[in-house]
Amino acid sequence: MKVPFNDLTWQWRHIEDKVRFDFERVFASSQFSSGSFVDAFERQIAEWLSVPHAIAVDSGTSAIHLALIAAGVGAGDEVLLPAHTFIGSAWGILYIGAVPVFCDVDEETGTIDVEVARRLVTSRTRAVVPVHLYGQPANMDAVLSFALDYDLKVIEDAAQSIGATWNGRSTGSLGDLGCISFYPGKNLGAAGEAGLIVTSNDSYADRLRSLRNHAQSERYVHAELGFNYRMDGLQAVVLAHKLPLLSAWTKRRNELANQYITKLKGLPLEVPSVRHQTHCWHLFVARTPSRNSLRDALSKSGVETGLHYPVPLHRQPALSPYVKPDAAYPVSERWADEGLSLPLFVGMTDEQLDYVVRVVAAFYR
Ligand SMILES: *Cc1c(COP(=O)(O)O)cnc(C)c1O
């Protein structure tokens, strides 16, 4: 049996007819960049997430960049973020000339350790970027009370967490601003690049709508440094037809994750621990010191796996100027060294999951 890491063609088969029909409408109206299809998707997703404002952009990375600007973070300001995350969490901070300050993460969940973050606050700290890693919310009660204590802006990196909630609220909607990615492999994936910023702040929303569109205040008049970060009409159509299916897809991801947790019990492999909050299972990352040899064994048996992420931010060459010489990140390093992402995707069958479990069990026997 072959088990791929993901299968996006399964999703395509469920939306194909509707999307083809609407693609015709996009071409017939030539609304390729922004336009009515993007406007309609913004209204649809704002309602789905229960947020006052949803601003469509061209990627999750752009979303974080603009969210930091809207929050008033600027050159020389310090921004706290976890050391264990995708590089896209960090780029926006560098784009604006701010200083990323890496925090070690929580042993259980791999999300930002707020007690560590507290010790790293200085007079220049302006914001914190919690990452809802693998689809599991960071501890937002801890993040929000920490931010209140030090008057920090909270910009949630919800790139992986659409469909996950904290105390009943959508991740991304708890802080000052939230950033979502629609990269094809994400739980709600476009057919190319796309992203979203959410906020309940009216003036942030107005400024974001301007910033993403060359900071155009009126036609060909530009109020400030602007960006071309608009969403495509074609992406809006794909996303609009996937969104109504997302709750069922998230439910299936939860079923698969729970099966893994039950069936892998007893093996010398640490399964993900789950907070008492909803998880959207973007990734299922188990940990084991024999990660590399287990990965080889799975690969030889036709099971594709992933590493998310093998090099933590404090070891990234591009970020080395920001690493304090005395800083240590033991928990992030263990996640990077031992984490193995097993296949978990909507469209995965129970038989495929059982096969993965059998190969893992055989490896340990
Ligand atoms: C995917 C991702 C991003 C970046 O999103 P893009 O749409 O790929 O630019 C940022 N942060 C995290 C945690 C991500 O997983």
Side-chain angles (χ1 to χ4, degrees):
M1 188 184 285
K2 285 241 182 301
V3 185
F5 188 66
N6 201 347
D7 179 12
L8 297 181
T9 60
W10 184 93
Q11 297 184 18
W12 172 238
R13 289 200 300 276
H14 286 76
I15 56 166
E16 192 174 353
D17 296 340
K18 288 178 174 154
V19 170
R20 278 189 209 282
F21 183 82
D22 272 352
F23 273 4
E24 294 286 344
R25 297 172 57 215
V26 174
F27 279 91
S29 63
S30 303
Q31 302 213 43
F32 297 118
S33 179
S34 307
S36 63
F37 294 94
V38 174
D39 295 345
F41 173 66
E42 284 183 337
R43 288 191 297 271
Q44 181 192 3
I45 196 156
E47 193 183 320
W48 196 89
L49 294 165
S50 298
V51 292
H53 304 288
I55 298 100
V57 291
D58 65 345
S59 76
T61 304
S62 300
I64 297 172
H65 183 191
L66 293 191
L68 287 160
I69 296 172
V73 182
D77 291 341
E78 293 178 4
V79 180
L80 297 156
L81 80 167
H84 176 59
T85 180
F86 178 60
I87 190 82
S89 304
W91 287 138
I93 300 168
L94 273 70
Y95 294 165
I96 61 171
V99 178
V101 177
F102 311 116
C103 304
D104 210 0
V105 295
D106 177 66
E107 182 64 61
E108 298 280 299
T109 63
T111 57
I112 191 165
D113 184 332
V114 174
E115 291 313 308
V116 172
R118 279 183 188 274
R119 295 197 289 272
L120 294 169
V121 172
T122 73
S123 59
R124 310 250 29 191
T125 311
R126 289 287 172 274
V128 55
V129 178
V131 180
H132 305 306
L133 195 72
Y134 309 146
Q136 167 145 262
N139 182 344
M140 287 307 291
D141 292 347
V143 168
L144 294 171
S145 75
F146 163 59
L148 207 60
D149 290 347
Y150 294 96
D151 193 21
L152 307 178
K153 299 292 185 203
V154 177
I155 293 134
E156 297 175 69
D157 180 341
Q160 305 186 350
S161 70
I162 190 164
T165 63
W166 180 268
N167 295 346
R169 293 175 61 184
S170 301
T171 49
S173 73
L174 293 119
D176 296 282
L177 298 125
C179 302
I180 296 174
S181 166
F182 302 125
Y183 178 76
K186 297 282 161 74
N187 288 23
L188 179 64
E193 306 290 342
L196 190 79
I197 309 162
V198 299
T199 184
S200 56
N201 181 309
D202 298 344
S203 59
Y204 289 172
D206 288 345
R207 185 155 175 228
L208 288 164
R209 290 183 196 289
S210 165
L211 284 169
R212 70 170 168 186
N213 184 26
H214 301 285
Q216 193 158 245
S217 49
E218 53 190 283
R219 201 162 169 88
Y220 303 128
V221 180
H222 306 276
E224 59 177 317
L225 177 65
F227 303 87
N228 177 358
Y229 281 174
R230 295 170 301 223
M231 186 187 278
D232 292 352
L234 294 172
Q235 301 308 337
V237 160
V238 171
L239 294 166
H241 287 303
K242 281 190 177 182
L243 187 58
L245 306 174
L246 188 63
S247 296
W249 290 358
T250 304
K251 192 162 162 265
R252 177 62 183 155
R253 286 179 179 274
N254 271 271
E255 280 168 18
L256 291 163
N258 289 332
Q259 283 191 40
Y260 266 137
I261 290 170
T262 308
K263 293 174 178 173
L264 293 169
K265 205 169 268 167
L267 294 171
L269 181 82
E270 212 174 310
V271 296
S273 52
V274 182
R275 297 186 197 280
H276 295 288
Q277 296 286 344
T278 58
H279 192 321
C280 69
W281 291 104
H282 174 56
L283 295 167
F284 186 94
V285 181
R287 281 181 296 171
T288 168
S290 47
R291 187 267 306 277
N292 293 341
S293 44
L294 174 59
R295 186 167 201 227
D296 287 346
L298 283 159
S299 167
K300 284 199 187 81
S301 301
V303 177
E304 223 182 299
T305 58
L307 301 181
H308 303 91
Y309 298 89
V311 183
L313 298 191
H314 65 281
R315 295 208 183 278
Q316 294 293 347
L319 302 179
S320 62
Y322 305 101
V323 182
K324 299 197 175 69
D326 56 341
Y329 300 93
V331 185
S332 296
E333 298 201 353
R334 186 159 93 83
W335 277 96
D337 291 343
E338 300 188 357
L340 180 66
S341 309
L342 299 179
L344 189 161
F345 52 92
V346 54
M348 186 181 193
T349 64
D350 292 353
E351 291 70 32
Q352 286 177 312
L353 184 138
D354 288 340
Y355 178 71
V356 177
V357 171
R358 277 204 304 281
V359 178
V360 174
F363 170 81
Y364 284 112
R365 259 202 311 273

